[in-house]
Amino acid sequence: MVRPYTITRGRTAPERDDLTLITVLTTNGEAADAALARGSRSGPRALQPEHRQILDRCRRPAAVAELAAALDLPVSVTKILLGDLVAQGLLTARAPLAVARAAGDGRAGTGGGAGRGAAGLDHGLLSAVRDGLRRL
């Protein structure tokens, strides 16, 4: 077992405070591929095995909580590693669609259109998902 402070190089808190459990991360294509091709060179920007695992998993969008579970690491340690990769330009972090829509829209809670409720959610889509789950 590797101690978390070893993985994070002694850091105990992430530099970014915008990474929540539901923040979605994806790799930045060519930059991530180039970093993975360089391997684990020494230096302050070297990729650790956990960094490489994160880049590999984030080829498809993944939430912070999913990544922490997949890596079998505490969420706080995962956030530190994710912050490293975002700072290097290898990952893109974005708020989930519903949160981003509410924050960027400026009209959260106004209904926002046909078939949409108070939170701006499409009730038709939610009903279709509910009905699909019931059929399982």
Side-chain angles (χ1 to χ4, degrees):
M1 176 180 156
V2 177
R3 298 279 183 209
Y5 63 82
T6 304
I7 295 170
T8 63
R9 297 183 181 127
R11 295 170 291 167
T12 58
E15 293 176 9
R16 299 177 59 101
D17 61 355
D18 61 337
L19 295 174
T20 65
L21 290 175
I22 58 174
T23 299
V24 178
L25 297 120
T26 54
T27 57
N28 290 335
E30 294 177 12
D33 291 340
L36 287 169
R38 282 194 306 268
S40 58
R41 296 182 182 158
S42 61
R45 295 175 64 102
L47 293 180
Q48 297 178 19
E50 293 80 10
H51 287 125
R52 290 193 297 276
Q53 289 176 333
I54 290 169
L55 289 175
D56 188 49
R57 289 194 171 274
C58 287
R59 291 185 189 280
R60 301 198 65 168
V64 171
E66 293 175 80
L67 294 168
L71 295 170
D72 196 27
L73 290 173
V75 172
S76 59
V77 172
T78 303
K79 286 182 179 182
I80 292 170
L81 297 173
L82 293 171
D84 293 344
L85 295 171
V86 171
Q88 292 180 37
L90 303 177
L91 280 183
T92 300
R94 66 173 172 80
L97 188 57
V99 174
R101 191 178 303 147
D105 191 8
R107 297 180 297 149
T110 61
R116 299 204 181 263
L121 300 174
D122 185 342
H123 287 286
L125 175 62
L126 291 174
S127 295
V129 170
R130 180 194 63 212
D131 294 341
L133 289 172
R134 283 184 180 160
R135 285 192 296 265
L136 291 177

mmCIF file with all atom_site columns, all heavy atoms in Angstrom, residues 68-92:
data_model
loop_
_atom_site.group_PDB
_atom_site.id
_atom_site.type_symbol
_atom_site.label_atom_id
_atom_site.label_alt_id
_atom_site.label_comp_id
_atom_site.label_asym_id
_atom_site.label_entity_id
_atom_site.label_seq_id
_atom_site.pdbx_PDB_ins_code
_atom_site.Cartn_x
_atom_site.Cartn_y
_atom_site.Cartn_z
_atom_site.occupancy
_atom_site.B_iso_or_equiv
_atom_site.pdbx_formal_charge
_atom_site.auth_seq_id
_atom_site.auth_comp_id
_atom_site.auth_asym_id
_atom_site.auth_atom_id
_atom_site.pdbx_PDB_model_num
ATOM 1   N N   . ALA A 1 68 ? -12.348 8.427  -8.071  1.00 0.00 ? 68 ALA A N   1
ATOM 2   C CA  . ALA A 1 68 ? -11.847 8.052  -6.750  1.00 0.00 ? 68 ALA A CA  1
ATOM 3   C C   . ALA A 1 68 ? -12.148 6.580  -6.461  1.00 0.00 ? 68 ALA A C   1
ATOM 4   O O   . ALA A 1 68 ? -11.292 5.847  -5.958  1.00 0.00 ? 68 ALA A O   1
ATOM 5   C CB  . ALA A 1 68 ? -12.465 8.951  -5.679  1.00 0.00 ? 68 ALA A CB  1
ATOM 6   N N   . ALA A 1 69 ? -13.352 6.140  -6.806  1.00 0.00 ? 69 ALA A N   1
ATOM 7   C CA  . ALA A 1 69 ? -13.725 4.743  -6.586  1.00 0.00 ? 69 ALA A CA  1
ATOM 8   C C   . ALA A 1 69 ? -12.894 3.808  -7.461  1.00 0.00 ? 69 ALA A C   1
ATOM 9   O O   . ALA A 1 69 ? -12.415 2.770  -6.992  1.00 0.00 ? 69 ALA A O   1
ATOM 10  C CB  . ALA A 1 69 ? -15.211 4.546  -6.862  1.00 0.00 ? 69 ALA A CB  1
ATOM 11  N N   . ALA A 1 70 ? -12.697 4.176  -8.712  1.00 0.00 ? 70 ALA A N   1
ATOM 12  C CA  . ALA A 1 70 ? -11.927 3.330  -9.629  1.00 0.00 ? 70 ALA A CA  1
ATOM 13  C C   . ALA A 1 70 ? -10.463 3.223  -9.209  1.00 0.00 ? 70 ALA A C   1
ATOM 14  O O   . ALA A 1 70 ? -9.840  2.171  -9.367  1.00 0.00 ? 70 ALA A O   1
ATOM 15  C CB  . ALA A 1 70 ? -12.030 3.879  -11.048 1.00 0.00 ? 70 ALA A CB  1
ATOM 16  N N   . LEU A 1 71 ? -9.915  4.309  -8.679  1.00 0.00 ? 71 LEU A N   1
ATOM 17  C CA  . LEU A 1 71 ? -8.516  4.315  -8.245  1.00 0.00 ? 71 LEU A CA  1
ATOM 18  C C   . LEU A 1 71 ? -8.351  3.744  -6.837  1.00 0.00 ? 71 LEU A C   1
ATOM 19  O O   . LEU A 1 71 ? -7.223  3.515  -6.394  1.00 0.00 ? 71 LEU A O   1
ATOM 20  C CB  . LEU A 1 71 ? -7.959  5.739  -8.263  1.00 0.00 ? 71 LEU A CB  1
ATOM 21  C CG  . LEU A 1 71 ? -7.859  6.406  -9.630  1.00 0.00 ? 71 LEU A CG  1
ATOM 22  C CD1 . LEU A 1 71 ? -7.518  7.875  -9.470  1.00 0.00 ? 71 LEU A CD1 1
ATOM 23  C CD2 . LEU A 1 71 ? -6.833  5.701  -10.486 1.00 0.00 ? 71 LEU A CD2 1
ATOM 24  N N   . ASP A 1 72 ? -9.465  3.560  -6.129  1.00 0.00 ? 72 ASP A N   1
ATOM 25  C CA  . ASP A 1 72 ? -9.448  3.104  -4.740  1.00 0.00 ? 72 ASP A CA  1
ATOM 26  C C   . ASP A 1 72 ? -8.615  4.044  -3.872  1.00 0.00 ? 72 ASP A C   1
ATOM 27  O O   . ASP A 1 72 ? -7.771  3.619  -3.081  1.00 0.00 ? 72 ASP A O   1
ATOM 28  C CB  . ASP A 1 72 ? -8.930  1.666  -4.648  1.00 0.00 ? 72 ASP A CB  1
ATOM 29  C CG  . ASP A 1 72 ? -9.258  1.022  -3.307  1.00 0.00 ? 72 ASP A CG  1
ATOM 30  O OD1 . ASP A 1 72 ? -10.263 1.426  -2.683  1.00 0.00 ? 72 ASP A OD1 1
ATOM 31  O OD2 . ASP A 1 72 ? -8.494  0.138  -2.876  1.00 0.00 ? 72 ASP A OD2 1
ATOM 32  N N   . LEU A 1 73 ? -8.854  5.352  -4.068  1.00 0.00 ? 73 LEU A N   1
ATOM 33  C CA  . LEU A 1 73 ? -8.176  6.400  -3.308  1.00 0.00 ? 73 LEU A CA  1
ATOM 34  C C   . LEU A 1 73 ? -9.211  7.292  -2.645  1.00 0.00 ? 73 LEU A C   1
ATOM 35  O O   . LEU A 1 73 ? -10.330 7.420  -3.142  1.00 0.00 ? 73 LEU A O   1
ATOM 36  C CB  . LEU A 1 73 ? -7.315  7.270  -4.238  1.00 0.00 ? 73 LEU A CB  1
ATOM 37  C CG  . LEU A 1 73 ? -6.072  6.644  -4.843  1.00 0.00 ? 73 LEU A CG  1
ATOM 38  C CD1 . LEU A 1 73 ? -5.461  7.599  -5.851  1.00 0.00 ? 73 LEU A CD1 1
ATOM 39  C CD2 . LEU A 1 73 ? -5.073  6.313  -3.754  1.00 0.00 ? 73 LEU A CD2 1
ATOM 40  N N   . PRO A 1 74 ? -8.837  7.928  -1.534  1.00 0.00 ? 74 PRO A N   1
ATOM 41  C CA  . PRO A 1 74 ? -9.762  8.904  -0.942  1.00 0.00 ? 74 PRO A CA  1
ATOM 42  C C   . PRO A 1 74 ? -10.058 10.035 -1.931  1.00 0.00 ? 74 PRO A C   1
ATOM 43  O O   . PRO A 1 74 ? -9.213  10.384 -2.761  1.00 0.00 ? 74 PRO A O   1
ATOM 44  C CB  . PRO A 1 74 ? -8.980  9.437  0.264   1.00 0.00 ? 74 PRO A CB  1
ATOM 45  C CG  . PRO A 1 74 ? -7.945  8.409  0.559   1.00 0.00 ? 74 PRO A CG  1
ATOM 46  C CD  . PRO A 1 74 ? -7.614  7.774  -0.754  1.00 0.00 ? 74 PRO A CD  1
ATOM 47  N N   . VAL A 1 75 ? -11.242 10.601 -1.827  1.00 0.00 ? 75 VAL A N   1
ATOM 48  C CA  . VAL A 1 75 ? -11.643 11.673 -2.730  1.00 0.00 ? 75 VAL A CA  1
ATOM 49  C C   . VAL A 1 75 ? -10.678 12.852 -2.637  1.00 0.00 ? 75 VAL A C   1
ATOM 50  O O   . VAL A 1 75 ? -10.326 13.454 -3.655  1.00 0.00 ? 75 VAL A O   1
ATOM 51  C CB  . VAL A 1 75 ? -13.096 12.125 -2.445  1.00 0.00 ? 75 VAL A CB  1
ATOM 52  C CG1 . VAL A 1 75 ? -13.460 13.362 -3.237  1.00 0.00 ? 75 VAL A CG1 1
ATOM 53  C CG2 . VAL A 1 75 ? -14.060 10.995 -2.752  1.00 0.00 ? 75 VAL A CG2 1
ATOM 54  N N   . SER A 1 76 ? -10.219 13.181 -1.437  1.00 0.00 ? 76 SER A N   1
ATOM 55  C CA  . SER A 1 76 ? -9.308  14.322 -1.277  1.00 0.00 ? 76 SER A CA  1
ATOM 56  C C   . SER A 1 76 ? -8.004  14.101 -2.039  1.00 0.00 ? 76 SER A C   1
ATOM 57  O O   . SER A 1 76 ? -7.486  15.023 -2.672  1.00 0.00 ? 76 SER A O   1
ATOM 58  C CB  . SER A 1 76 ? -9.023  14.576 0.204   1.00 0.00 ? 76 SER A CB  1
ATOM 59  O OG  . SER A 1 76 ? -8.443  13.428 0.793   1.00 0.00 ? 76 SER A OG  1
ATOM 60  N N   . VAL A 1 77 ? -7.486  12.895 -2.018  1.00 0.00 ? 77 VAL A N   1
ATOM 61  C CA  . VAL A 1 77 ? -6.260  12.579 -2.761  1.00 0.00 ? 77 VAL A CA  1
ATOM 62  C C   . VAL A 1 77 ? -6.536  12.649 -4.263  1.00 0.00 ? 77 VAL A C   1
ATOM 63  O O   . VAL A 1 77 ? -5.743  13.207 -5.029  1.00 0.00 ? 77 VAL A O   1
ATOM 64  C CB  . VAL A 1 77 ? -5.724  11.189 -2.361  1.00 0.00 ? 77 VAL A CB  1
ATOM 65  C CG1 . VAL A 1 77 ? -4.561  10.762 -3.250  1.00 0.00 ? 77 VAL A CG1 1
ATOM 66  C CG2 . VAL A 1 77 ? -5.314  11.181 -0.899  1.00 0.00 ? 77 VAL A CG2 1
ATOM 67  N N   . THR A 1 78 ? -7.661  12.119 -4.675  1.00 0.00 ? 78 THR A N   1
ATOM 68  C CA  . THR A 1 78 ? -8.026  12.144 -6.094  1.00 0.00 ? 78 THR A CA  1
ATOM 69  C C   . THR A 1 78 ? -8.156  13.584 -6.587  1.00 0.00 ? 78 THR A C   1
ATOM 70  O O   . THR A 1 78 ? -7.695  13.913 -7.678  1.00 0.00 ? 78 THR A O   1
ATOM 71  C CB  . THR A 1 78 ? -9.344  11.379 -6.310  1.00 0.00 ? 78 THR A CB  1
ATOM 72  O OG1 . THR A 1 78 ? -9.189  10.043 -5.812  1.00 0.00 ? 78 THR A OG1 1
ATOM 73  C CG2 . THR A 1 78 ? -9.716  11.329 -7.780  1.00 0.00 ? 78 THR A CG2 1
ATOM 74  N N   . LYS A 1 79 ? -8.756  14.458 -5.782  1.00 0.00 ? 79 LYS A N   1
ATOM 75  C CA  . LYS A 1 79 ? -8.898  15.861 -6.177  1.00 0.00 ? 79 LYS A CA  1
ATOM 76  C C   . LYS A 1 79 ? -7.537  16.530 -6.355  1.00 0.00 ? 79 LYS A C   1
ATOM 77  O O   . LYS A 1 79 ? -7.362  17.355 -7.255  1.00 0.00 ? 79 LYS A O   1
ATOM 78  C CB  . LYS A 1 79 ? -9.722  16.631 -5.143  1.00 0.00 ? 79 LYS A CB  1
ATOM 79  C CG  . LYS A 1 79 ? -11.199 16.331 -5.189  1.00 0.00 ? 79 LYS A CG  1
ATOM 80  C CD  . LYS A 1 79 ? -11.924 17.177 -4.155  1.00 0.00 ? 79 LYS A CD  1
ATOM 81  C CE  . LYS A 1 79 ? -13.401 16.951 -4.160  1.00 0.00 ? 79 LYS A CE  1
ATOM 82  N NZ  . LYS A 1 79 ? -14.086 17.828 -3.182  1.00 0.00 ? 79 LYS A NZ  1
ATOM 83  N N   . ILE A 1 80 ? -6.571  16.199 -5.523  1.00 0.00 ? 80 ILE A N   1
ATOM 84  C CA  . ILE A 1 80 ? -5.227  16.763 -5.662  1.00 0.00 ? 80 ILE A CA  1
ATOM 85  C C   . ILE A 1 80 ? -4.609  16.319 -6.982  1.00 0.00 ? 80 ILE A C   1
ATOM 86  O O   . ILE A 1 80 ? -4.052  17.136 -7.729  1.00 0.00 ? 80 ILE A O   1
ATOM 87  C CB  . ILE A 1 80 ? -4.339  16.357 -4.469  1.00 0.00 ? 80 ILE A CB  1
ATOM 88  C CG1 . ILE A 1 80 ? -4.846  17.030 -3.196  1.00 0.00 ? 80 ILE A CG1 1
ATOM 89  C CG2 . ILE A 1 80 ? -2.870  16.707 -4.727  1.00 0.00 ? 80 ILE A CG2 1
ATOM 90  C CD1 . ILE A 1 80 ? -4.206  16.517 -1.921  1.00 0.00 ? 80 ILE A CD1 1
ATOM 91  N N   . LEU A 1 81 ? -4.730  15.033 -7.302  1.00 0.00 ? 81 LEU A N   1
ATOM 92  C CA  . LEU A 1 81 ? -4.186  14.510 -8.557  1.00 0.00 ? 81 LEU A CA  1
ATOM 93  C C   . LEU A 1 81 ? -4.896  15.128 -9.763  1.00 0.00 ? 81 LEU A C   1
ATOM 94  O O   . LEU A 1 81 ? -4.256  15.475 -10.764 1.00 0.00 ? 81 LEU A O   1
ATOM 95  C CB  . LEU A 1 81 ? -4.298  12.988 -8.586  1.00 0.00 ? 81 LEU A CB  1
ATOM 96  C CG  . LEU A 1 81 ? -3.512  12.237 -7.507  1.00 0.00 ? 81 LEU A CG  1
ATOM 97  C CD1 . LEU A 1 81 ? -3.837  10.757 -7.551  1.00 0.00 ? 81 LEU A CD1 1
ATOM 98  C CD2 . LEU A 1 81 ? -2.022  12.478 -7.656  1.00 0.00 ? 81 LEU A CD2 1
ATOM 99  N N   . LEU A 1 82 ? -6.208  15.275 -9.663  1.00 0.00 ? 82 LEU A N   1
ATOM 100 C CA  . LEU A 1 82 ? -6.966  15.884 -10.757 1.00 0.00 ? 82 LEU A CA  1
ATOM 101 C C   . LEU A 1 82 ? -6.553  17.338 -10.952 1.00 0.00 ? 82 LEU A C   1
ATOM 102 O O   . LEU A 1 82 ? -6.403  17.804 -12.089 1.00 0.00 ? 82 LEU A O   1
ATOM 103 C CB  . LEU A 1 82 ? -8.467  15.794 -10.477 1.00 0.00 ? 82 LEU A CB  1
ATOM 104 C CG  . LEU A 1 82 ? -9.058  14.386 -10.483 1.00 0.00 ? 82 LEU A CG  1
ATOM 105 C CD1 . LEU A 1 82 ? -10.490 14.406 -9.972  1.00 0.00 ? 82 LEU A CD1 1
ATOM 106 C CD2 . LEU A 1 82 ? -8.961  13.765 -11.858 1.00 0.00 ? 82 LEU A CD2 1
ATOM 107 N N   . GLY A 1 83 ? -6.349  18.047 -9.856  1.00 0.00 ? 83 GLY A N   1
ATOM 108 C CA  . GLY A 1 83 ? -5.896  19.436 -9.936  1.00 0.00 ? 83 GLY A CA  1
ATOM 109 C C   . GLY A 1 83 ? -4.557  19.547 -10.655 1.00 0.00 ? 83 GLY A C   1
ATOM 110 O O   . GLY A 1 83 ? -4.342  20.478 -11.438 1.00 0.00 ? 83 GLY A O   1
ATOM 111 N N   . ASP A 1 84 ? -3.660  18.598 -10.413 1.00 0.00 ? 84 ASP A N   1
ATOM 112 C CA  . ASP A 1 84 ? -2.373  18.576 -11.113 1.00 0.00 ? 84 ASP A CA  1
ATOM 113 C C   . ASP A 1 84 ? -2.585  18.489 -12.621 1.00 0.00 ? 84 ASP A C   1
ATOM 114 O O   . ASP A 1 84 ? -1.974  19.227 -13.398 1.00 0.00 ? 84 ASP A O   1
ATOM 115 C CB  . ASP A 1 84 ? -1.529  17.367 -10.681 1.00 0.00 ? 84 ASP A CB  1
ATOM 116 C CG  . ASP A 1 84 ? -1.070  17.413 -9.241  1.00 0.00 ? 84 ASP A CG  1
ATOM 117 O OD1 . ASP A 1 84 ? -1.126  18.497 -8.622  1.00 0.00 ? 84 ASP A OD1 1
ATOM 118 O OD2 . ASP A 1 84 ? -0.663  16.342 -8.739  1.00 0.00 ? 84 ASP A OD2 1
ATOM 119 N N   . LEU A 1 85 ? -3.452  17.572 -13.019 1.00 0.00 ? 85 LEU A N   1
ATOM 120 C CA  . LEU A 1 85 ? -3.673  17.335 -14.453 1.00 0.00 ? 85 LEU A CA  1
ATOM 121 C C   . LEU A 1 85 ? -4.399  18.489 -15.123 1.00 0.00 ? 85 LEU A C   1
ATOM 122 O O   . LEU A 1 85 ? -4.109  18.836 -16.267 1.00 0.00 ? 85 LEU A O   1
ATOM 123 C CB  . LEU A 1 85 ? -4.426  16.017 -14.645 1.00 0.00 ? 85 LEU A CB  1
ATOM 124 C CG  . LEU A 1 85 ? -3.646  14.772 -14.212 1.00 0.00 ? 85 LEU A CG  1
ATOM 125 C CD1 . LEU A 1 85 ? -4.548  13.542 -14.224 1.00 0.00 ? 85 LEU A CD1 1
ATOM 126 C CD2 . LEU A 1 85 ? -2.431  14.560 -15.096 1.00 0.00 ? 85 LEU A CD2 1
ATOM 127 N N   . VAL A 1 86 ? -5.338  19.108 -14.416 1.00 0.00 ? 86 VAL A N   1
ATOM 128 C CA  . VAL A 1 86 ? -6.037  20.270 -14.965 1.00 0.00 ? 86 VAL A CA  1
ATOM 129 C C   . VAL A 1 86 ? -5.046  21.424 -15.127 1.00 0.00 ? 86 VAL A C   1
ATOM 130 O O   . VAL A 1 86 ? -5.037  22.113 -16.151 1.00 0.00 ? 86 VAL A O   1
ATOM 131 C CB  . VAL A 1 86 ? -7.242  20.671 -14.080 1.00 0.00 ? 86 VAL A CB  1
ATOM 132 C CG1 . VAL A 1 86 ? -7.821  22.003 -14.524 1.00 0.00 ? 86 VAL A CG1 1
ATOM 133 C CG2 . VAL A 1 86 ? -8.319  19.589 -14.131 1.00 0.00 ? 86 VAL A CG2 1
ATOM 134 N N   . ALA A 1 87 ? -4.186  21.626 -14.135 1.00 0.00 ? 87 ALA A N   1
ATOM 135 C CA  . ALA A 1 87 ? -3.197  22.706 -14.187 1.00 0.00 ? 87 ALA A CA  1
ATOM 136 C C   . ALA A 1 87 ? -2.212  22.516 -15.340 1.00 0.00 ? 87 ALA A C   1
ATOM 137 O O   . ALA A 1 87 ? -1.743  23.491 -15.929 1.00 0.00 ? 87 ALA A O   1
ATOM 138 C CB  . ALA A 1 87 ? -2.447  22.792 -12.861 1.00 0.00 ? 87 ALA A CB  1
ATOM 139 N N   . GLN A 1 88 ? -1.917  21.274 -15.680 1.00 0.00 ? 88 GLN A N   1
ATOM 140 C CA  . GLN A 1 88 ? -1.002  20.980 -16.785 1.00 0.00 ? 88 GLN A CA  1
ATOM 141 C C   . GLN A 1 88 ? -1.708  21.032 -18.139 1.00 0.00 ? 88 GLN A C   1
ATOM 142 O O   . GLN A 1 88 ? -1.068  20.853 -19.170 1.00 0.00 ? 88 GLN A O   1
ATOM 143 C CB  . GLN A 1 88 ? -0.361  19.604 -16.595 1.00 0.00 ? 88 GLN A CB  1
ATOM 144 C CG  . GLN A 1 88 ? 0.594   19.535 -15.429 1.00 0.00 ? 88 GLN A CG  1
ATOM 145 C CD  . GLN A 1 88 ? 1.189   18.153 -15.278 1.00 0.00 ? 88 GLN A CD  1
ATOM 146 O OE1 . GLN A 1 88 ? 1.467   17.474 -16.253 1.00 0.00 ? 88 GLN A OE1 1
ATOM 147 N NE2 . GLN A 1 88 ? 1.387   17.721 -14.043 1.00 0.00 ? 88 GLN A NE2 1
ATOM 148 N N   . GLY A 1 89 ? -3.016  21.219 -18.132 1.00 0.00 ? 89 GLY A N   1
ATOM 149 C CA  . GLY A 1 89 ? -3.766  21.285 -19.380 1.00 0.00 ? 89 GLY A CA  1
ATOM 150 C C   . GLY A 1 89 ? -4.068  19.921 -19.982 1.00 0.00 ? 89 GLY A C   1
ATOM 151 O O   . GLY A 1 89 ? -4.411  19.825 -21.157 1.00 0.00 ? 89 GLY A O   1
ATOM 152 N N   . LEU A 1 90 ? -3.961  18.877 -19.174 1.00 0.00 ? 90 LEU A N   1
ATOM 153 C CA  . LEU A 1 90 ? -4.206  17.522 -19.671 1.00 0.00 ? 90 LEU A CA  1
ATOM 154 C C   . LEU A 1 90 ? -5.647  17.076 -19.464 1.00 0.00 ? 90 LEU A C   1
ATOM 155 O O   . LEU A 1 90 ? -6.097  16.146 -20.113 1.00 0.00 ? 90 LEU A O   1
ATOM 156 C CB  . LEU A 1 90 ? -3.253  16.540 -18.985 1.00 0.00 ? 90 LEU A CB  1
ATOM 157 C CG  . LEU A 1 90 ? -1.764  16.859 -19.145 1.00 0.00 ? 90 LEU A CG  1
ATOM 158 C CD1 . LEU A 1 90 ? -0.922  15.868 -18.355 1.00 0.00 ? 90 LEU A CD1 1
ATOM 159 C CD2 . LEU A 1 90 ? -1.380  16.851 -20.615 1.00 0.00 ? 90 LEU A CD2 1
ATOM 160 N N   . LEU A 1 91 ? -6.357  17.729 -18.557 1.00 0.00 ? 91 LEU A N   1
ATOM 161 C CA  . LEU A 1 91 ? -7.759  17.426 -18.286 1.00 0.00 ? 91 LEU A CA  1
ATOM 162 C C   . LEU A 1 91 ? -8.580  18.704 -18.343 1.00 0.00 ? 91 LEU A C   1
ATOM 163 O O   . LEU A 1 91 ? -8.080  19.784 -18.037 1.00 0.00 ? 91 LEU A O   1
ATOM 164 C CB  . LEU A 1 91 ? -7.938  16.859 -16.871 1.00 0.00 ? 91 LEU A CB  1
ATOM 165 C CG  . LEU A 1 91 ? -7.646  15.407 -16.590 1.00 0.00 ? 91 LEU A CG  1
ATOM 166 C CD1 . LEU A 1 91 ? -7.965  15.097 -15.136 1.00 0.00 ? 91 LEU A CD1 1
ATOM 167 C CD2 . LEU A 1 91 ? -8.389  14.477 -17.493 1.00 0.00 ? 91 LEU A CD2 1
ATOM 168 N N   . THR A 1 92 ? -9.839  18.536 -18.714 1.00 0.00 ? 92 THR A N   1
ATOM 169 C CA  . THR A 1 92 ? -10.799 19.633 -18.661 1.00 0.00 ? 92 THR A CA  1
ATOM 170 C C   . THR A 1 92 ? -11.852 19.271 -17.627 1.00 0.00 ? 92 THR A C   1
ATOM 171 O O   . THR A 1 92 ? -12.395 18.164 -17.664 1.00 0.00 ? 92 THR A O   1
ATOM 172 C CB  . THR A 1 92 ? -11.476 19.835 -20.035 1.00 0.00 ? 92 THR A CB  1
ATOM 173 O OG1 . THR A 1 92 ? -10.478 20.138 -20.993 1.00 0.00 ? 92 THR A OG1 1
ATOM 174 C CG2 . THR A 1 92 ? -12.492 20.953 -19.977 1.00 0.00 ? 92 THR A CG2 1
#
